[in-house]
Amino acid sequence: MVITHLPRLHLSILSKPHPSLYTHLTTLFLTPNPLSTTTTLFFSPKSTLTTTPITHFSDPQESSFPTPQISLDKLFLPPETDVPCDTDTLSTRILKGSNIVLSKYARDAQVVQSDFVKSSVKTEDCPSDGLPEFALVGRSNVGKSSLLNSLVRRKKLALTSKKPGKTQCINHFRINDKWYLVDLPGYGYAAAPQEIRTDWAKFTKDYFLNRSTLVSVFLLIDASIPAKKIDLEYASWLGENQIPMTLIYTKCDKRKKKKNGGKRPEENVNDFQELIRGFFQTAPPWIMTSSVTNQGRDEILLHMAQLRNYWLKH
């Protein structure tokens, strides 16, 4: 089902997350607007910036899929990031296929070691070593496990399946002995009884609300198809609960032809961004990816690095 609108989020329905998460990342993703009753759920560019479309930095030797045009007012600017006066300088700091500007915290992004640690069905059973972590979540069969394998450059670290619902627990993978990637059960259709799917939703939401070491949720969206209501509702729930979020558009290598109204991935990304703006005052950070071509892999790791290093400092 394609959705055309969701209501804006207002302060009255926002609930405060775990104190540790709020302390570390509220300035990164929450910027109150004194002129409105709406809360900006992601860091907003300065009002002095223009809306002139700018280009993304890219390696001319590297093939890539088209990316949506982006204007300065739609960029994600991490805190403590100086904004250059000229757009040419700024464009060299924008991660390719994204709206994310690199900050001074974008370092130590390379993955040199990755290990599966454990599967849990309760938040309290998750690793207790205090390392920062990033959670991957999305509709069943959106490509979470494939993306995780791409990020660590291993084919079978996380099990993949064409059958939706393969991931059924909170799965922790330790990276470089310094931080975690967390693979969560997909939402929506899954080949499991309704009772089990309800349990997945319950412990996943409990994890989001109570996991003090969660730096950010990476919400995966299938860019090869039009926007789905369930994805927008999930993004809305994360926003209502002030949980930091980055949108990861998957399957961007699928170059569908325009038959019977079909759209290409970059067009679906544009459409989803417009829908997001219908209920968030500003759009969250986003990255276009493909686990087939590994497009977006380095960009995700750089983005994770700057979020992680900022979290550790604050």
Side-chain angles (χ1 to χ4, degrees):
M1 178 178 181
V2 179
I3 188 169
T4 57
H5 180 72
L6 283 178
R8 286 182 178 270
L9 302 178
H10 295 278
L11 283 170
S12 60
I13 63 173
L14 296 178
S15 59
K16 190 173 181 179
H18 190 282
S20 177
L21 175 64
Y22 185 85
T23 300
H24 284 297
L25 283 177
T26 185
T27 56
L28 184 60
F29 291 89
L30 296 168
T31 304
N33 183 351
L35 301 179
S36 171
T37 58
T38 305
T39 292
T40 301
L41 294 178
F42 301 90
F43 193 84
S44 300
K46 296 181 179 179
S47 58
T48 55
L49 295 178
T50 66
T51 58
T52 305
I54 57 179
T55 57
H56 299 69
F57 170 76
S58 62
D59 185 343
Q61 301 299 320
E62 187 179 59
S63 60
S64 62
F65 42 73
T67 56
Q69 277 197 331
I70 184 170
S71 56
L72 291 176
D73 65 320
K74 297 179 182 179
L75 290 177
F76 172 74
L77 299 174
E80 302 179 23
T81 300
D82 295 327
V83 181
C85 295
D86 64 290
T87 57
D88 288 339
T89 300
L90 179 59
S91 66
T92 64
R93 292 170 52 189
I94 301 173
L95 289 175
K96 183 179 61 179
S98 82
N99 69 334
I100 300 168
V101 178
L102 281 176
S103 74
K104 63 182 180 181
Y105 293 103
R107 59 182 183 272
D108 300 326
Q110 185 177 5
V111 174
V112 296
Q113 181 181 350
S114 56
D115 302 286
F116 171 73
V117 176
K118 66 179 302 187
S119 295
S120 310
V121 294
K122 295 181 180 179
T123 304
E124 53 265 35
D125 294 334
C126 293
S128 57
D129 50 18
L131 296 179
E133 55 195 52
F134 298 89
L136 306 180
V137 70
R139 284 190 303 110
S140 294
N141 218 28
V142 74
K144 292 184 288 81
S145 298
S146 295
L147 177 64
L148 192 153
N149 289 334
S150 174
L151 291 175
V152 301
R153 299 173 186 264
R154 291 175 59 180
K155 292 183 178 181
K156 297 182 179 180
L157 181 64
L159 296 179
T160 61
S161 174
K162 293 183 179 180
K163 186 177 182 180
K166 184 67 175 179
T167 304
Q168 301 181 12
C169 300
I170 304 172
N171 297 311
H172 274 76
F173 301 86
R174 188 167 52 235
I175 309 300
N176 300 342
D177 286 329
K178 293 182 178 180
W179 55 283
Y180 288 106
L181 281 172
V182 183
D183 191 12
L184 296 173
Y187 53 84
Y189 171 81
Q194 177 62 41
E195 181 179 354
I196 295 179
R197 296 203 302 271
T198 300
D199 287 342
W200 295 348
K202 182 178 179 181
F203 71 64
T204 298
K205 289 185 177 181
D206 179 74
Y207 167 84
F208 289 147
L209 294 171
N210 297 297
R211 186 63 172 166
S212 62
T213 53
L214 177 63
V215 177
S216 180
V217 174
F218 280 54
L219 178 60
L220 276 61
I221 308 294
D222 187 345
S224 69
I225 59 176
K228 297 291 185 179
K229 178 180 179 180
I230 192 171
D231 291 328
L232 289 158
E233 289 177 340
Y234 211 96
S236 176
W237 184 89
L238 291 170
E240 289 173 7
N241 290 278
Q242 299 187 357
I243 298 170
M245 170 181 66
T246 295
L247 298 175
I248 302 297
Y249 293 105
T250 64
K251 305 182 182 181
C252 291
D253 58 286
K254 294 190 175 182
R255 313 299 304 154
K256 289 187 176 180
K257 295 181 179 180
K258 287 188 175 181
K259 290 183 178 180
N260 301 321
K263 293 186 176 182
R264 298 183 184 277
E266 63 272 15
E267 295 174 305
N268 288 326
V269 169
N270 268 329
D271 290 346
F272 196 91
Q273 291 302 120
E274 288 303 313
L275 293 174
I276 281 288
R277 289 175 68 86
F279 63 101
F280 287 111
Q281 186 172 345
T282 57
W286 54 264
I287 303 174
M288 295 178 69
T289 71
S290 166
S291 296
V292 175
T293 65
N294 292 320
Q295 189 75 31
R297 176 181 60 196
D298 294 340
E299 287 75 13
I300 290 177
L301 291 174
L302 281 167
H303 181 51
M304 286 181 171
Q306 64 183 7
L307 295 183
R308 183 175 70 251
N309 290 323
Y310 180 85
W311 185 90
L312 288 169
K313 180 179 178 181
H314 297 82

